[in-house]
Amino acid sequence: MGDHKIGRHLAGLLVVGVGLFVFAVDAGNVGAATLWWQTAPGPTPALSAVSSNSSFETLAISSGVAGWLDPKSGRFRSLSTTADVAYVAASGDSGLIMESDGALYQSSAAGAIRLLQRLPGRPLGLAIAAGVNPVALAVTSSGVYRGALGTKLRPLTPDPIGLPVAMAGPVTSSERFAVASSRGIFLLGKEGRPRLAPHSPRLGAHAHLAELGDGVILAGDGKGLISAVSPGRSTPVFQLLPYGGLGGVPQLTGIVGVGADAAYLATSGFGTLLTPDGGYSWYRASPPVTTGTILALATVGPIYGPRPSGLVLAVSSSGLFLHRLQSLPTPPSYSAGSEASQLGGTTLVTALAAALVIWLMWIIRRRERRRLFV
């Protein structure tokens, strides 16, 4: 009977230890799954695209209509344009709206809107650079157009880019626009002169670009290959794998930078993936959507300051999801004065645990020896 009691005590201690370990690990997983993303409040309409902005209110598209969206409240204020908006871009309390026929409008967060011009060709992209005096870039099948925000955009002359397939705007004032075409990825500086990035990939259809705060460009092609492109080199860093049996590689639906070297990637099958180091490590960090399809990504707020406090927005058929930026867990950092005490404490706990196990084993062995003489 005594042996069984001791065995139960030992088993209980092991269960408690394992339980604490499992609870600690599972608590982290539950927190990541349920607290990482939150459903946007309010009666947010069905969205198809949202523009990144340094302010918390930004331009978005709902059922082909452009409007100003407040993600914190879910309020969407539509603008008086046709229901055929192709792209939106925002910078502070001002933004641009490009319709499918090439009509380019400027809008303010107060609701004012005016026609700037009509661009030839089929719209392919629209972006506004960060900074006090932002520059806008519009891409159509007829070429690339550039100019100060609020003025008419002028075509690049000469235009060596060719047919563009994707573009991304700089997230800091010192970086450049990036435009992908059949010839590679071109970088456009403040002077507007395009320069082909050496060894840059040719992305083809369904391409997506995103600039990070450190100047690296993440480029994804239609086959799910992600490359990190810098002014001096291009390196493949990640390959999406097939999903769902014969489903094939999921299609990329968006990439957005969220800091100096972090980014989110949206797919039609895996939801969203997160890289905290410029594309070399990837983690599943997806909103709780049933289909796993994210239609678009964006960021709002001051996400590139010393203390980021912005939001990542994920648009899906299940609604709009928000993630408040926060630091990822990192290994503990010990100072010189506390390192000895940390090591001493760890050693003491380990020694006590080992002594407890040895003591229990000694009691069990002693009782077994007594049985031999009964």
Side-chain angles (χ1 to χ4, degrees), residues 106-181:
Q106 182 186 13
S107 173
S108 67
I113 185 171
R114 67 186 182 100
L115 177 65
L116 291 176
Q117 66 191 112
R118 293 185 181 274
L119 299 175
R122 178 172 54 90
L124 297 174
L126 184 65
I128 303 176
V132 179
N133 299 308
V135 174
L137 199 74
V139 176
T140 74
S141 57
S142 297
V144 179
Y145 301 82
R146 180 183 181 275
L149 177 60
T151 66
K152 289 187 177 181
L153 307 186
R154 305 297 180 185
L156 297 184
T157 310
D159 182 7
I161 293 179
L163 180 62
V165 294
M167 67 171 298
V171 296
T172 61
S173 58
S174 61
E175 298 303 333
R176 306 174 177 182
F177 285 97
V179 179
S181 75

Side-chain angles (χ1 to χ4, degrees), residues 199-220:
H199 312 293
S200 59
R202 300 181 180 184
L203 303 178
H206 306 295
H208 289 275
L209 297 177
E211 292 202 29
L212 308 185
D214 60 2
V216 172
I217 299 169
L218 289 184

Side-chain angles (χ1 to χ4, degrees), residues 230-305:
S230 60
R233 63 176 182 173
S234 174
T235 306
V237 293
F238 183 64
Q239 172 64 61
L240 280 172
L241 298 178
Y243 74 104
L246 300 178
V249 175
Q251 181 178 328
L252 294 178
T253 57
I255 310 176
V256 64
V258 294
D261 55 358
Y264 272 97
L265 181 150
T267 73
S268 61
F270 291 138
T272 57
L273 302 174
L274 168 66
T275 175
D277 51 14
Y280 294 95
S281 302
W282 291 87
Y283 305 91
R284 180 78 181 275
S286 182
V289 293
T290 56
T291 62
T293 298
I294 303 299
L295 304 175
L297 290 171
T299 60
V300 294
I303 66 170
Y304 292 99

Side-chain angles (χ1 to χ4, degrees), residues 90-114:
S91 175
D93 58 358
S94 182
L96 296 176
I97 301 167
M98 187 160 58
E99 297 180 347
S100 296
D101 62 356
L104 184 66
Y105 294 85
Q106 182 186 13
S107 173
S108 67
I113 185 171
R114 67 186 182 100

Side-chain angles (χ1 to χ4, degrees), residues 31-41 56 71-72 256-259 262-265 272-276 284-288 296-303 308-315 319-329:
T34 61
L35 300 180
W36 196 272
W37 293 95
Q38 299 289 330
T39 304
F56 279 100
K72 291 185 174 181
V256 64
V258 294
Y264 272 97
L265 181 150
T272 57
L273 302 174
L274 168 66
T275 175
R284 180 78 181 275
S286 182
L297 290 171
T299 60
V300 294
I303 66 170
S309 58
L311 298 172
V312 182
L313 312 182
V315 179
L320 177 66
F321 295 90
L322 314 178
H323 163 55
R324 185 172 298 278
L325 290 180
Q326 53 190 321
S327 299
L328 290 174

